[in-house]
Amino acid sequence: MAKVVLVTGVSRYLGGLLARRVAAEPGVERVVGVDVIPPPHPVPGVEFVRADIRNPMISRVIESSGVDTVVHMNVIATPTFVGGRTPQKEINVIGTMQLLAACQKSSTVRRLVVKSSAAVYGSTPRDPALFTEDMDARRTPSSGFGKDSIEVEGYVRGFARRRPDVDILMLRLANVIGPRIRTSITDYFSMPAVPVPLGYDARMQFLHEEDAIDALVLGTTGDATGVVNVAGDGVVTVLQAVALAGRPAVPLPLGSASFVGGVTRRLGLADFSPDQMSFLAYGRGLDTTRMRDRLGFEPRYTTREAFEAFAATLGSQGPGLGSVVDAVSGVAGAASQSVLTALGAGSVR
């Protein structure tokens, strides 16, 4: 039973919510929240410690607090939120290594919960209908958050071999979405016009932000171990999601993904890697049998309901679409004329 819990990434949205919820759980005596900056909002019942998990100092925090349960929430999915891809990778990979080294030295840590991601499965046209936790990616993600998540899980498995006395739970969350959270996916579907891979209509699974927190709380205070997929029931396709968001879809060749990603990053509209564009082309499905049988968790929201909760917060596309196309034109080179033509066609519909 968790009594003294350390939560990393407490100044981020999900980390702060989780720490507050865990602090209110019966039997939990103390919650220590760690991050490099103070939480932007009050986190009642949580002791904040300003510390960088990339620094060996995290070991002293764990020891001095007598932490028995560590919840690693500080695996960053969107590089723009932390200043770019380099700091993202440092936080995700180097930070995880230092945190695990601190846990390995600790005489008090007995449980480790890691917020992982379904991105470890990648997205290819050869994928199974549903990934179980025992399956590997058909093509390993080559960059970005998916690659980081695979490395993080690898280090956690190494830690498990060195400290078999520590219970370990890794929750592979589907894309988290909802009315308040901001991610690369919410940025993508918030664009005035949504570029979609031409000729594809992939299946997607989502997890409502409230369900994500409920699953993490259950994982922190419960006794489930191993790797567990967590997702809402059902699927929505990319084109269904675009329609629910009330946006026009702009079909683009999949080969133009790198160009489109660069443009949207420059415009500050969205940030997504080639691996995320593959997700939008090929989708991903998760088997959630273990979520119910091992974790004992039942989501309150289906995939569609989770997306609808997010879509309800969006305004109309408004007149900004034309300015988006103008801005795209300003940063595009001659080689991208076919993409600009598609965007222009989308803007007058």
Side-chain angles (χ1 to χ4, degrees):
M1 175 65 188
K3 291 186 177 180
V4 181
V5 180
L6 182 138
V7 179
T8 67
V10 73
S11 296
R12 298 181 59 78
Y13 178 68
L14 288 180
L17 285 180
L18 174 69
R20 184 168 60 190
R21 282 280 307 277
V22 170
E25 286 291 302
V28 175
E29 299 173 359
R30 186 181 181 192
V31 175
V32 179
V34 173
D35 215 320
V36 293
I37 59 173
H41 304 292
V43 188
V46 178
E47 302 172 30
F48 173 69
V49 176
R50 192 167 192 159
D52 191 336
I53 62 171
R54 293 170 289 183
N55 190 303
M57 173 186 155
I58 190 65
S59 181
R60 283 189 290 171
V61 176
I62 291 174
E63 282 302 312
S64 63
S65 302
V67 171
D68 57 62
T69 302
V70 174
V71 187
H72 187 24
M73 297 288 290
N74 205 23
V75 182
I76 310 298
T78 306
T80 52
F81 293 176
V82 290
R85 174 60 186 145
T86 298
Q88 178 197 28
K89 187 171 183 65
E90 288 178 355
I91 293 170
N92 290 349
V93 178
I94 304 302
T96 297
M97 291 173 64
Q98 290 288 3
L99 179 67
L100 294 177
C103 291
Q104 183 175 335
K105 295 176 185 176
S106 172
S107 60
T108 59
V109 171
R110 291 292 176 265
R111 184 168 180 81
L112 171 67
V113 179
V114 179
K115 180 181 76 69
S116 188
S117 169
V120 299
Y121 296 119
S123 295
T124 76
R126 298 180 290 109
D127 288 349
L130 297 174
F131 276 101
T132 68
E133 292 84 352
D134 298 324
M135 293 179 177
D136 295 322
R138 295 295 188 268
R139 182 177 66 220
T140 303
S142 60
S143 63
F145 178 56
K147 186 173 186 292
D148 289 356
S149 297
I150 288 176
E151 291 186 37
V152 165
E153 288 199 2
Y155 289 125
V156 172
R157 284 191 291 271
F159 169 76
R161 290 191 292 270
R162 294 187 297 271
R163 285 291 304 270
D165 58 311
V166 175
D167 292 336
I168 298 175
L169 174 67
M170 288 194 288
L171 297 178
R172 289 177 178 166
L173 306 185
N175 289 82
V176 180
I177 203 165
R180 290 171 294 276
I181 192 170
R182 181 187 172 193
T183 68
S184 58
I185 283 291
T186 62
D187 283 353
Y188 173 76
F189 284 107
S190 298
M191 293 172 63
V194 181
V196 298
L198 180 65
Y200 298 87
D201 192 17
R203 301 168 304 121
M204 300 180 295
Q205 278 181 302
F206 294 116
L207 180 66
H208 193 282
E209 59 192 70
E210 294 178 7
D211 282 330
I213 294 298
D214 288 345
L216 286 159
V217 170
L218 187 58
T220 301
T221 58
D223 57 6
T225 59
V227 181
V228 178
N229 293 334
V230 184
D233 291 338
V235 299
V236 295
T237 69
V238 170
L239 293 180
Q240 286 172 340
V242 172
L244 288 170
R247 266 50 179 163
V250 182
L252 297 176
L254 186 58
S256 67
S258 295
F259 165 72
V260 173
V263 170
T264 56
R265 280 193 298 272
R266 293 185 194 185
L267 296 177
L269 295 172
D271 188 283
F272 44 90
S273 66
D275 285 327
Q276 288 171 312
M277 288 303 292
S278 294
F279 170 64
L280 295 168
Y282 305 119
R284 185 186 303 123
L286 303 181
D287 182 292
T288 55
T289 302
R290 194 177 290 183
M291 175 184 77
R292 292 175 169 85
D293 293 348
R294 183 175 298 185
L295 185 62
F297 178 66
E298 185 72 40
R300 289 180 285 166
Y301 296 83
T302 66
T303 284
R304 185 182 182 92
E305 289 168 344
F307 192 88
E308 287 174 339
F310 154 70
T313 67
L314 299 176
S316 64
Q317 67 217 28
L321 184 56
S323 63
V324 170
V325 177
D326 290 342
V328 170
S329 300
V331 298
S336 62
Q337 288 306 306
S338 61
V339 176
L340 295 177
T341 299
L343 283 171
S347 68
V348 297
R349 290 180 182 174

